[in-house]
């Protein structure tokens, strides 16, 4: 499995203004994403919280509540998901986080961004309501079409794209050589760490 938590964690540290682990929590969008989000919490050395959907009474519309293992009143909350598609879940979770921590600045990060249907409009609503600062995804999927949608809504600056080309290149070389991409040495490489196999590949003749 190829993961990009190290790249996303580095992006958070560099792009959340005044990032401080003691003032930051990461939030899983549901129980299914808890394991992934706890990994991000470990990477950033921050606290963990989770959104949980429940129905107050049978037949009623489900609500989103926040479960937190930290007593901290965070200045920053990072919502973590594997992908953002229509952004309906993000909208509900961000609103729940806002109610839980009214003074916190809220950000969202995910591996993949599809942003289908009216996702850009939902993001604009969250940005306009001071619910969301920005949303970041990798370029594992081309962001050309989403960028046009965000630009049309006047919020292009709120879509951040994290470059993982070095991660993908390193994985391709290892697979070509029959090496594993699951080794800790490779999985722990971030965007600023030298990759010895990439360095060696630069000297391989192409013709």
């Amino acid at each position: 499995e190829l993961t990009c938590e190290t790249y996303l964690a580095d992006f958070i540290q560099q792009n959340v203004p005044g990032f401080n682990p003691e003032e930051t929590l990461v939030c899983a969008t549901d129980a299914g994403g808890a394991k992934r989000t706890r990994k991000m919490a470990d990477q950033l050395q921050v606290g963990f919280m989770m959104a949980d959907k429940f129905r107050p009474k049978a037949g009623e519309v489900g609500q989103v509540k926040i479960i937190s293992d930290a007593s901290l009143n965070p200045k920053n909350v990072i919502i973590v998901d594997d992908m953002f598609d229509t952004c309906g879940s993000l909208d509900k979770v961000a609103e729940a986080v806002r109610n839980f921590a009214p003074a916190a600045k809220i950000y969202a990060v995910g591996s993949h961004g599809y942003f289908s249907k009216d996702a850009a409009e939902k993001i604009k609503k969250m940005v306009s309501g001071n619910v969301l600062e920005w949303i970041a995804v990798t370029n594992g999927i081309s962001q050309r079409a989403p960028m046009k949608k965000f630009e049309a809504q006047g919020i292009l600056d709120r879509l951040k794209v994290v470059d993982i080309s070095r991660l993908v290149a390193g994985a391709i070389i290892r697979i070509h050589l029959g090496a594993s991409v699951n080794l800790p040495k490779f999985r722990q490489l971030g965007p600023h760490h030298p990759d010895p196999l990439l360095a060696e590949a630069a000297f391989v003749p192409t013709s």
Side-chain angles (χ1 to χ4, degrees):
E1 181 184 1
L2 192 62
T3 61
C4 55
E5 280 100 348
T6 303
Y7 280 70
L8 291 175
D10 177 81
F11 184 85
I12 290 168
Q13 290 170 327
Q14 301 298 324
N15 290 275
V16 171
F19 175 80
N20 183 344
E22 295 181 358
E23 299 174 337
T24 304
L25 295 176
V26 291
C27 179
T29 56
D30 54 32
K35 182 177 180 181
R36 173 179 56 251
T37 306
R38 282 195 179 276
K39 286 183 179 178
M40 182 67 76
D42 292 341
Q43 191 91 28
L44 293 169
Q45 295 297 294
V46 301
F48 169 86
M49 60 199 294
M50 183 182 78
D52 188 35
K53 302 177 182 69
F54 77 102
R55 297 180 189 276
K57 294 180 182 178
E60 290 189 0
V61 176
Q63 297 180 7
V64 177
K65 294 290 185 181
I66 298 298
I67 301 171
S68 176
D69 65 2
S71 59
L72 175 72
N73 286 323
K75 287 187 177 180
N76 303 303
V77 175
I78 319 295
I79 298 172
V80 179
D81 209 345
D82 60 339
M83 70 174 184
F84 297 112
D85 189 6
T86 63
C87 293
S89 292
L90 174 63
D91 191 10
K92 292 178 181 178
V93 171
E95 191 61 41
V97 171
R98 166 61 66 234
N99 293 333
F100 178 84
K105 292 192 181 237
I106 303 171
Y107 307 84
V109 300
S111 300
H112 306 299
Y114 294 96
F115 301 113
S116 65
K117 297 183 179 179
D118 61 344
E121 287 89 338
K122 289 190 179 94
I123 299 296
K124 182 178 181 178
K125 185 193 76 171
M126 287 184 264
V127 168
S128 299
N130 294 318
V131 175
L132 188 70
E133 298 297 315
W134 48 249
I135 184 167
V137 295
T138 75
N139 58 351
I141 294 174
S142 173
Q143 291 303 301
R144 289 182 182 177
M147 287 173 72
K148 290 181 180 178
K149 293 180 181 180
F150 276 65
E151 185 174 23
Q153 294 296 323
I155 55 168
L156 180 58
D157 61 325
R158 304 306 178 109
L159 175 60
K160 312 295 183 180
V161 182
V162 182
D163 182 20
I164 58 167
S165 56
R166 288 184 75 252
L167 174 68
V168 174
I172 290 172
I173 288 174
R174 284 164 174 79
I175 292 170
H176 177 71
L177 295 174
S180 173
V181 297
N182 288 317
L183 295 176
K185 282 186 178 180
F186 176 62
R187 294 171 70 90
Q188 292 169 5
L189 289 177
H192 309 296
H193 296 122
D195 186 334
L197 282 185
L198 279 180
E200 290 179 20
F203 294 101
V204 175
T206 58
S207 60

